[in-house]
Amino acid sequence: MNNQTKIKIAPSILSADFSRMGEEVQSLEQNGADLVHCDVMDGVFVNNITFGIKMIQDIRKCTKLPLDCHLMIVNPEKYVERFAKAGADIITVHYEASKENLRETLELIKSTGVKCGAVINPDTPVEKIADVIPLCDMVLVMSVFPGFGGQKFIPDALGKLRQVRKIIEASGKAIDLQIDGGVTLDNVEEIKAAGANVIVAGSAVFNAPDRAKTLAALKK
Ligand code: DX5
Ligand code: ZN
């Protein structure tokens, strides 16, 4: 890892109190988060529904932190421009939702001036996205099947992180490597050792008795 790949913590607001979202996001900023991870779910690509463009627009007014929008929706290309306009700083799209259109969708995201990223589910091999990795600002390896917070980390993700990290190093580019799902204080060390530098944590942050301490411990 070079020094451009510093550790960043991206708490997932999926575990926040949605009735107090503004305060929740501000508390993340005050307690040392680096990004706000926004899980957008459509009830079709995944078996859950969260929020969409309006939420991103409103959160944008509450924080200066970059908004990391993880789109778990079908036909993400239809909504990319609106998420960008709403204030997303980075938009990540699933290989499983885009398949052969993934490259095109990533280019579309870039054309809006927003950073782009490709995501793979636990049952998708790294090879499926290998050719588009150099195009990405970030690669997201899912360590749970997307849909819900509070699931258990799938250890196979560690091997995939190592594999993606190798591809990133070979590209010579400063591409972030993100992990999402089941991250805790107990497994974050091995996750970082496997090459992840952007750590999503939902329940670990929002259920913690002391948010600042937990964020600092995840980052250290
Ligand atoms: C899962 C989401 C994750 C989730 C992480 O579909 O993409 O971002 O909120 O939550 P934890 O950290 O609780 O596994
Ligand atoms: Zn997510």
Side-chain angles (χ1 to χ4, degrees), residues 12-15 37-39 41 46 70 72 94 140 142 144-152 180-184 200-205 207:
S12 163
I13 54 170
L14 182 59
S15 294
H37 185 79
C38 306
D39 284 310
M41 304 185 187
V46 288
H70 175 194
M72 287 159 276
H94 274 259
L140 167 50
M142 291 303 300
V144 298
F145 283 91
F148 299 91
Q151 301 182 73
K152 206 171 170 294
D180 183 7
V183 176
T184 65
V200 176
S203 45
V205 170
N207 299 343

Side-chain angles (χ1 to χ4, degrees), residues 14-213:
L14 182 59
S15 294
D17 177 346
F18 280 27
S19 72
R20 299 188 301 110
M21 193 56 95
E23 291 161 50
E24 292 277 59
V25 167
Q26 280 158 359
S27 127
L28 295 179
E29 184 165 350
Q30 284 154 11
N31 287 303
D34 299 287
L35 301 159
V36 180
H37 185 79
C38 306
D39 284 310
V40 176
M41 304 185 187
D42 66 355
V44 181
F45 181 71
V46 288
N47 192 24
N48 198 5
I49 303 177
T50 54
F51 51 77
I53 294 152
K54 177 70 161 61
M55 180 67 94
I56 302 305
Q57 217 170 38
D58 289 353
I59 294 174
R60 181 69 291 166
K61 298 174 207 151
C62 301
T63 182
K64 288 195 172 61
L65 290 179
L67 302 183
D68 161 29
C69 296
H70 175 194
L71 301 189
M72 287 159 276
I73 62 176
V74 294
N75 304 124
E77 68 286 350
K78 269 172 73 176
Y79 299 98
V80 157
E81 277 157 306
R82 277 189 275 166
F83 275 103
K85 217 167 167 194
D89 294 275
I90 174 152
I91 298 177
T92 59
V93 288
H94 274 259
Y95 162 78
E96 301 81 11
S98 295
K99 296 267 170 78
E100 62 279 3
N101 295 330
L102 182 60
R103 176 180 291 269
E104 222 176 298
T105 307
L106 292 168
E107 280 165 355
L108 173 66
I109 298 169
K110 276 199 163 207
S111 76
T112 66
V114 166
K115 290 183 177 175
C116 73
V119 191
I120 47 170
N121 272 344
D123 57 355
T124 300
V126 170
E127 287 72 24
K128 295 283 186 194
I129 56 160
D131 60 325
V132 299
I133 288 178
L135 217 102
C136 293
D137 297 289
M138 183 161 81
V139 175
L140 167 50
V141 171
M142 291 303 300
S143 40
V144 298
F145 283 91
F148 299 91
Q151 301 182 73
K152 206 171 170 294
F153 183 83
I154 300 172
D156 283 358
L158 295 171
K160 287 162 91 176
L161 286 175
R162 285 189 280 267
Q163 228 182 319
V164 176
R165 178 51 69 192
K166 262 196 202 149
I167 299 174
I168 291 175
E169 307 239 289
S171 79
K173 295 186 174 163
I175 300 167
D176 283 318
L177 177 52
Q178 184 174 51
I179 188 84
D180 183 7
V183 176
T184 65
L185 289 174
D186 294 327
N187 60 19
V188 71
E189 260 333 298
E190 52 178 346
I191 288 168
K192 289 188 240 180
N197 72 300
V198 183
I199 313 292
V200 176
S203 45
V205 170
F206 283 94
N207 299 343
D210 186 332
R211 250 176 229 184
K213 253 196 197 154

